[in-house]
C-alpha cells in the first residue's frame, strides 16, 4: 500500500469523546489496525474537556428539572464540534451515537464507507443537552435496543463495520458481497476441516465441487435461517423479490 498519510482523500473518522484514550483500542488490531497503519483510513480524536471554559473544566451539569445523573453541556460540546466542522476541507456526516437514534444497518454502513468519512460524538452519563442535537444537523444512530454507558464502544463498532468495507482493507472482497444483510438475508452456515467432527460430517454438497448446487444450497440455507430467526428481514426480502418479479 502506498503511503497516503496527509492526503485529503483518505477516509477520515474524527471521534469527539471524554475518553480519547479508548481509541484506537480494538481498531488498532487485525484488519482495521493494519489499514490504519498503512493509512487507508485516518482516525483523529478530540477531547471535549479541552473545550471547557470554567476553572473546573466542567463538561457536564445536573439535569434541568431534576433527576439522576449528569448531562453534557451544549456550549462545551458545540465549541468542539464547530471547530472540527469548520476546519474540515470536506463536510462529513455528523453522528451522535444514541439509543434514541435510527438503528444502524448495513446500508448506512455502506453509504458511510462510500463517503469521505464521519465525525462521531460519543455521549456519557445521561447524554447530551437536546439543544445541541437541534442546532448542529446531527444524525442520531443507535447500535440496538440496549443502553451502553458511553458512546465510545458504539463508535468503535460503527467504525469497525465501515472500515472493513474500504477498498484495500479486506484481502478478498468476495467475502463482503456474500455476507449477512448484503442481499437482505442472513448468511448461510460455514464449515471447514476436519471433514467429520463430533460425529457430524460436512454437508456432502459442499464437497461435491458442483458450484451451481453449492450456490443453490447456500441460498436455501440463507433463506431458511432468515425466515426462522428474523421474520422482519424475511418479510422485507419476500416483498422486495415480489416487486422485482413484477
Ligand atoms: N439516558 C440515555 C442513555 C445514556 S447512555 C437514554 O436513556 O437514552 C450514555 C451514552 O452512551 C449516550 O449518550 C450514548 O452516546 C451512548 N449509548 C448508550 N446506548 C447506546 C446505543 N444503544 N447505541 C449507541 N450509543 C449508545
Amino acid at each position: 500500500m502506498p503511503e497516503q498519510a496527509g492526503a485529503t482523500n483518505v477516509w477520515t473518522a474524527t471521534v469527539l469523546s471524554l475518553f480519547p484514550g479508548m481509541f484506537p483500542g480494538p481498531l488498532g488490531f487485525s484488519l482495521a489496525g493494519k489499514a490504519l497503519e498503512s493509512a487507508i483510513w485516518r482516525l483523529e480524536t478530540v477531547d471535549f474537556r479541552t473545550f471547557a471554559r470554567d476553572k473546573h473544566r466542567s463538561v457536564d451539569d445536573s439535569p434541568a428539572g431534576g433527576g439522576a445523573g449528569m448531562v453534557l453541556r451544549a456550549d462545551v460540546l458545540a465549541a468542539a464540534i464547530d471547530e472540527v466542522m469548520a476546519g474540515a476541507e470536506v463536510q462529513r456526516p455528523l453522528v451522535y451515537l444514541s439509543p434514541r437514534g435510527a438503528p444502524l444497518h448495513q446500508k448506512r454502513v455502506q453509504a458511510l464507507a462510500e463517503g469521505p468519512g464521519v465525525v462521531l460524538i460519543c455521549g456519557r452519563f445521561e447524554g447530551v443537552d437536546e439543544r445541541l442535537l437541534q442546532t448542529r444537523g446531527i444524525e442520531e444512530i443507535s447500535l440496538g435496543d440496549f443502553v451502553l454507558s458511553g458512546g465510545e464502544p458504539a463508535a468503535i463498532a460503527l467504525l469497525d463495520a465501515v472500515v472493513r468495507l474500504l477498498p484495500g482493507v479486506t484481502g478478498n472482497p468476495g467475502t463482503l458481497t456474500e455476507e449477512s444483510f448484503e442481499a437482505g438475508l442472513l448468511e448461510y452456515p460455514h464449515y471447514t476441516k476436519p471433514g467429520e467432527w463430533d460425529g457430524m460430517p460436512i454437508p456432502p454438497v459442499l464437497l461435491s465441487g458442483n458450484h451451481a448446487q453449492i450456490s443453490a444450497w447456500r441460498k436455501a440455507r440463507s433463506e431458511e435461517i432468515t425466515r426462522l430467526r428474523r421474520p422482519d428481514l424475511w418479510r422485507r426480502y419476500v416483498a422486495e423479490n415480489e416487486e422485482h418479479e413484477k
Side-chain angles (χ1 to χ4, degrees):
M1 236 335 115
E3 196 56 54
Q4 293 184 340
T8 50
N9 59 350
V10 176
W11 197 92
T12 301
T14 304
V15 180
L16 296 92
S17 161
L18 276 179
F19 300 99
M22 289 189 181
F23 297 87
L27 297 170
F29 292 82
S30 190
L31 289 178
K34 283 191 197 117
L36 190 56
E37 227 167 74
S38 49
I40 292 176
W41 69 294
R42 290 199 302 158
L43 175 64
E44 304 165 347
T45 53
V46 174
D47 187 346
F48 284 131
R49 189 132 346 239
T50 58
F51 290 85
R53 269 163 286 182
D54 62 0
K55 66 173 190 292
H56 302 293
R57 304 186 75 202
S58 53
V59 292
D60 58 335
D61 215 321
S62 49
M70 298 297 269
V71 177
L72 289 169
R73 291 169 58 127
D75 56 346
V76 176
L77 269 57
I81 291 166
D82 293 349
E83 187 171 298
V84 168
M85 299 311 269
E89 284 166 49
V90 280
Q91 282 308 305
R92 291 169 289 161
L94 178 57
V95 172
Y96 170 48
L97 285 318
S98 156
R100 295 189 333 190
L104 183 60
H105 284 144
Q106 192 64 12
K107 280 209 170 70
R108 188 71 191 105
V109 170
Q110 273 159 359
L112 287 171
E114 283 160 19
V118 70
V119 180
L120 298 175
I121 303 165
C122 301
R124 277 275 151 184
F125 319 126
E126 290 311 310
V128 305
D129 187 308
E130 190 69 19
R131 293 169 293 180
L132 183 78
L133 304 174
Q134 289 169 343
T135 55
R136 290 301 186 274
I138 294 170
E139 173 186 354
E140 291 184 62
I141 293 182
S142 168
L143 221 56
D145 292 344
F146 49 86
V147 180
L148 297 164
S149 55
E152 291 81 4
I156 288 168
L158 182 148
L159 291 175
D160 181 280
V162 172
V163 165
R164 61 194 289 283
L165 299 184
L166 299 177
V169 174
T170 300
N172 176 4
T175 60
L176 298 176
T177 52
E178 296 230 330
E179 272 171 337
S180 288
F181 310 116
E182 282 296 325
L185 293 172
L186 302 177
E187 201 182 41
Y188 50 81
H190 294 288
Y191 300 87
T192 188
K193 294 183 186 80
E196 188 177 319
W197 177 79
D198 221 8
M200 289 178 287
I202 290 175
V205 59
L206 296 178
L207 307 174
S208 68
N210 184 326
H211 293 296
Q213 273 182 24
I214 293 172
S215 287
W217 182 88
R218 286 179 166 167
K219 182 159 186 246
R221 293 290 79 70
S222 263
E223 292 182 344
E224 181 184 31
I225 289 171
T226 308
R227 186 168 51 78
L228 293 174
R229 295 188 187 179
R230 290 292 300 275
D232 56 325
L233 290 181
W234 178 246
R235 273 193 299 274
R236 201 182 317 154
Y237 173 78
V238 171
E240 274 172 19
N241 280 10
E242 278 170 0
E243 196 57 39
H244 285 160
E245 277 159 27
K246 270 184 202 159

